[in-house]
Amino acid sequence: DTAVSQTPKYLVTQMGNDKSIKCEQNLGHDTMYWYKQDSKKFLKIMFSYNNKELIINETVPNRFSPKSPDKAHLNLHINSLELGDSAVYFCASSQLDRPNGYTFGSGTRLTVV
Amino acid sequence: DAKTTQPPSMDCAEGRAANLPCNHSTISGNEYVYWYRQIHSQGPQYIIHGLKNNETNEMASLIITEDRKSSTLILPHATLRDTAVYYCIVTGNTGGFKTIFGAGTRLFVKA
């Protein structure tokens, strides 16, 4: 019973392609997030989303867009992939009114060639 | 930018206590201290959090100084599986967008 699941685990694609990464949480949390971990291992938040508010890190290119069909899912869509998009992307969730921390998925390793 | 300062790396002998320090001198009154760890390239794992009082759970203990400007995560009996990067994070109780991960401390547990 994986709490936060991401698919695919690995994704290799060519420059210029459009791809999506899916994330689902079964914890009943009200907020979901996308983080990017680059080759230097820094974790940087990209998006925070609940049913009331989408917060976008201003450094994230608009080629990246989160899509949430319902509160248990937050997918990440990336247009016109570039070499610099290669990284590990982590989905996470939390319940805003309970400070019990985040639950992270196992990550999606994206390689753009 | 992360609001915490941690040593880049530490060693610990297997079976001994691992004490990981964190400085957060700019912490404000409503901010919690959270600790996470990341083993190899897995997703970060929540360990423990606290506001003012010391906390203990099945994984670790968290000691927060009285002025709340620093804290220490204690793994009482480190095992090889505890080798990981440990992140100390300061954030409001709503977490969210202000949860910023720094470089963390890479803990090596040696046999």
Side-chain angles (χ1 to χ4, degrees):
Chain A
D1 291 342
T2 305
V4 179
S5 59
Q6 296 178 229
T7 55
K9 190 171 179 63
Y10 300 96
L11 180 57
V12 181
T13 187
Q14 291 186 325
M15 285 174 54
N17 283 351
D18 301 339
K19 291 293 179 184
S20 292
I21 305 172
K22 295 186 177 181
C23 178
E24 176 181 4
Q25 55 97 2
N26 63 5
L27 298 167
H29 287 167
D30 61 7
T31 305
M32 297 182 72
Y33 312 86
W34 278 104
Y35 277 82
K36 177 181 180 181
Q37 188 167 42
D38 59 23
S39 57
K40 294 183 179 179
K41 303 297 185 182
F42 285 104
L43 271 163
K44 298 180 181 178
I45 192 164
M46 302 175 69
F47 303 102
S48 167
Y49 182 79
N50 64 26
N51 59 3
K52 297 178 183 176
E53 188 176 21
L54 168 66
I55 303 177
I56 302 171
N57 185 329
E58 61 189 15
T59 66
V60 175
N62 58 14
R63 299 180 294 104
F64 290 77
S65 57
K67 297 187 190 302
S68 180
D70 55 62
K71 65 181 279 186
H73 296 82
L74 184 66
N75 303 326
L76 181 65
H77 190 74
I78 315 169
N79 289 328
S80 303
L81 277 155
E82 300 177 357
L83 293 177
D85 298 332
S86 295
V88 181
Y89 292 84
F90 290 101
C91 177
S93 71
S94 72
Q95 182 69 20
L96 282 190
D97 60 356
R98 279 187 253 132
N100 291 332
Y102 290 7
T103 302
F104 281 84
S106 57
T108 296
R109 183 174 294 277
L110 172 66
T111 303
V112 182
V113 298
Chain B
D1 293 332
K3 297 188 285 186
T4 63
T5 304
Q6 300 177 252
S9 66
M10 293 182 63
D11 290 346
C12 178
E14 188 179 20
R16 304 296 293 269
N19 298 294
L20 291 90
C22 180
N23 287 323
H24 31 80
S25 57
T26 61
I27 192 170
S28 59
N30 65 347
E31 290 183 317
Y32 287 72
V33 179
Y34 284 84
W35 284 83
Y36 291 81
R37 72 179 182 185
Q38 188 173 26
I39 296 174
H40 193 45
S41 293
Q42 298 176 22
Q45 176 191 21
Y46 164 82
I47 300 173
I48 198 167
H49 75 280
L51 183 62
K52 298 180 185 177
N53 300 323
N54 298 337
E55 302 288 345
T56 295
N57 63 20
E58 65 278 5
M59 291 183 68
S61 295
L62 174 61
I63 308 297
I64 303 174
T65 58
E66 192 170 342
D67 63 8
R68 303 210 319 126
K69 293 185 176 181
S70 65
S71 61
T72 301
L73 179 74
I74 302 173
L75 308 177
H77 306 286
T79 70
L80 298 179
R81 293 183 182 181
D82 291 323
T83 292
V85 177
Y86 288 77
Y87 298 99
C88 169
I89 296 162
V90 165
T91 188
N93 64 352
T94 56
F97 215 71
K98 298 189 185 301
T99 299
I100 299 171
F101 287 77
T105 295
R106 185 170 293 276
L107 175 69
F108 295 95
V109 181
K110 300 181 177 180

